[in-house]
Amino acid sequence: MEDMKMATKSILSIIIIAALLVAGWLYLVKGYISMKIRHAVPPQLTYNARIPGIKDVRVIIDPIRLIKRENTYDIMYKSALSKPKFSNPEINALSISGGGANGAYGAGILCGWTKAGDRPVFDVVTGVSTGALIAPAAFAGTSYDSLIKDIYTNISDADIMKQNFIDFLLEGRPSILDTQPLRNVLKKAVSKKLIDEIAREHVKGRRLYIATTNLDARRGVIWDMGAIATVGTPESIELFRDVMIASASIPVAFPPVMIKVEADGRIYEEMHVDGSVATQSFGSGIIMGSDEAKTKKVNFYLIKNGKFADAPEQVPLKIWDIAGAAFSTLMTWQSYGDIFRSHMLAKYENMNLYFTFIPQEFNEPRKGEFDLDYMRKLFYRGFRTAQSGGYWTRDTENSAEEVIAPGK
């Protein structure tokens, strides 16, 4: 009997090992085949790629040009992108960072700010990742606050993603999760009415920008969403939503978004993922490069959808926990650099920098990534804070240390 048990265990072990080997083989083969049949842009044509049938609506941020003392403004407006028109006495700009479900904080801040009665009309709005999901409604104005609130207080994991793990293992799929549910949500939320409103404001000179990361190019891409909105075709509306989804597509967890482009007379596809891979927030460089910013009062508001520093926490000795902790730490330190860059511009240029982040003492429990109870509590924390005022950390003549660690 004991020998039979041992034999059974041996057979089961062999079956399991064989299954894993087959799964690994399929994964590698499928991945290799998909790489071969994917029509990626040849590296030498990276900067020549354009969206078919649409004028230039984006720019690749090249770090080689940045080290040559060109700023983001120079790179953008030496391209074919149209410049913002700052017709008011003051320039008001808003930057909304990444942060996943923590976007509920930024959503609450904006809605509470409206309630407080002093939220301005922004000349420029930028968004990355979860910030890209908020930015279009924030740009369109306070009448879309209910849409922002609904996204972050009534939508949970099931409305954003579904499991894709078996296909990930057996078919070499590019992600563990499938974001088709999120596409369905955005199809309703980002309506033609909203896109038409964004187009009208773009014509007036206001600008809405969203960042994605082009993995093939290894570079960030800034999209002029208002310019896309003005095209008004079904294809441009689909592109508008694709850019939003791409900006929020965490690599490996969510599938990359393939965007069709044309280069040298042929059609290719680019692989775009979460804008946070390239930057957590942006916009100050775009504003401060303009001539108008030299003579006008500039207010730059930065919403960080996260705590300024995560509390120390023991990491389990498991691959996914290690990967998650490493990614979180990377994003946190990247955000420090983004804020510090804005701080330095504020210090040396004519700009008032205001930023806000989730209070360190907010420690509500969280079950899952998009835990509805957690998001609602965070939304209302942001809402109440903004409604009562005093939520901005203001950077004027303070030192970098005082700005980054207020009250320390």
Side-chain angles (χ1 to χ4, degrees):
M1 183 65 69
E2 194 65 32
D3 291 341
M4 187 175 293
K5 287 182 179 179
M6 291 295 294
T8 303
K9 286 183 180 180
S10 298
I11 293 170
L12 287 174
S13 297
I14 292 170
I15 292 172
I16 292 171
I17 292 171
L20 289 173
L21 288 172
V22 170
W25 180 81
L26 285 171
Y27 181 79
L28 291 173
V29 169
K30 290 274 188 176
Y32 176 76
I33 292 173
S34 66
M35 181 178 68
K36 297 293 286 185
I37 65 173
R38 183 181 158 239
H39 301 293
V41 179
Q44 68 273 18
L45 297 179
T46 295
Y47 293 94
N48 300 98
R50 299 290 183 269
I51 304 298
I54 299 179
K55 65 177 183 179
D56 290 339
V57 290
R58 86 257 180 90
V59 64
I60 297 175
I61 301 302
D62 187 353
I64 303 301
R65 292 179 64 179
L66 290 174
I67 65 172
K68 293 180 179 178
R69 297 191 176 182
E70 288 188 75
N71 58 32
T72 308
Y73 182 90
D74 294 330
I75 294 173
M76 289 184 68
Y77 298 118
K78 284 180 181 178
S79 70
L81 294 184
S82 53
K83 297 181 180 181
K85 298 175 183 177
F86 301 118
S87 56
N88 296 319
E90 292 187 5
I91 297 173
N92 290 296
L94 172 68
S95 177
I96 313 172
S97 82
N102 284 331
Y105 178 73
I109 286 289
L110 286 167
C111 294
W113 196 357
T114 299
K115 195 72 172 178
D118 58 349
R119 176 177 152 185
V121 173
F122 302 109
D123 298 284
V124 173
V125 176
T126 72
V128 179
S129 197
T130 196
L133 303 182
I134 301 172
F139 177 83
T142 57
S143 61
Y144 284 90
D145 281 2
S146 58
L147 174 59
I148 296 175
K149 177 182 177 182
D150 185 57
I151 290 175
Y152 286 93
T153 61
N154 289 318
I155 292 177
S156 61
D157 283 345
D159 301 302
I160 294 174
M161 56 196 176
K162 62 182 180 180
Q163 290 294 330
N164 195 35
F165 193 68
I166 300 301
D167 291 340
F168 170 76
L169 281 179
L170 298 182
E171 297 189 17
R173 294 289 180 88
S175 66
I176 298 171
L177 302 168
D178 185 348
T179 50
Q180 186 58 47
L182 177 59
R183 284 187 172 275
N184 296 336
V185 168
L186 288 187
K187 191 171 184 179
K188 295 179 181 178
V190 185
S191 62
K192 189 175 185 304
K193 178 184 175 184
L194 172 58
I195 292 176
D196 287 345
E197 186 136 4
I198 291 169
R200 285 193 292 271
E201 294 304 309
H202 178 82
V203 171
K204 295 177 184 177
R206 297 174 62 216
R207 295 293 178 263
L208 169 64
Y209 301 114
I210 284 176
T212 65
T213 302
N214 180 340
L215 279 188
D216 294 316
R218 280 24 173 218
R219 283 157 174 75
V221 179
I222 295 176
W223 297 79
D224 187 340
M225 303 300 284
I228 296 173
T230 59
V231 178
T233 62
E235 291 78 15
S236 66
I237 292 174
E238 183 178 358
L239 175 63
F240 192 103
R241 294 174 183 145
D242 277 346
V243 171
M244 291 178 67
I245 293 171
S247 185
S249 293
I250 303 168
V252 181
F254 295 164
V257 175
M258 301 299 178
I259 295 179
K260 287 185 179 181
V261 295
E262 183 178 6
D264 200 23
R266 296 187 62 183
I267 297 296
Y268 298 99
E269 59 181 15
E270 296 175 338
M271 181 185 291
H272 287 259
V273 299
D274 199 325
S276 292
V277 174
T279 182
Q280 277 284 305
S281 60
F282 71 101
S284 56
I286 296 172
I287 302 298
M288 297 317 302
S290 66
D291 293 334
E292 293 93 332
K294 308 297 181 184
T295 58
K296 293 183 177 182
K297 180 180 178 181
V298 179
N299 301 311
F300 186 77
Y301 300 94
L302 195 162
I303 298 175
K304 173 176 167 54
N305 289 305
K307 294 182 179 180
F308 202 85
D310 293 328
E313 183 180 353
Q314 292 182 344
V315 179
L317 194 60
K318 296 180 180 178
I319 186 169
W320 295 116
D321 293 293
I322 293 170
F327 185 76
S328 175
T329 302
L330 175 65
M331 294 296 101
T332 297
W333 281 92
Q334 186 185 82
S335 74
Y336 294 161
D338 294 333
I339 293 172
F340 188 78
R341 182 167 57 249
S342 294
H343 160 75
M344 295 306 294
L345 276 172
K347 184 176 181 179
Y348 293 108
E349 303 284 354
N350 181 34
M351 182 172 75
N352 298 308
L353 170 64
Y354 304 85
F355 67 94
T356 183
F357 47 86
I358 298 174
Q360 292 298 123
E361 66 272 14
F362 183 85
N363 291 310
E364 293 294 331
R366 186 170 172 178
K367 300 175 182 177
E369 178 58 30
F370 295 92
D371 177 13
L372 198 53
D373 185 57
Y374 171 86
M375 292 168 65
R376 285 173 177 170
K377 289 178 180 177
L378 184 55
F379 174 89
Y380 285 109
R381 177 60 182 266
F383 182 92
R384 289 191 297 269
T385 303
Q387 186 179 10
S388 62
Y391 52 100
W392 295 110
T393 296
R394 184 176 179 182
D395 175 13
T396 51
E397 297 179 354
N398 297 332
S399 68
E401 291 77 13
E402 290 171 326
V403 171
I404 290 175
K408 187 175 180 180

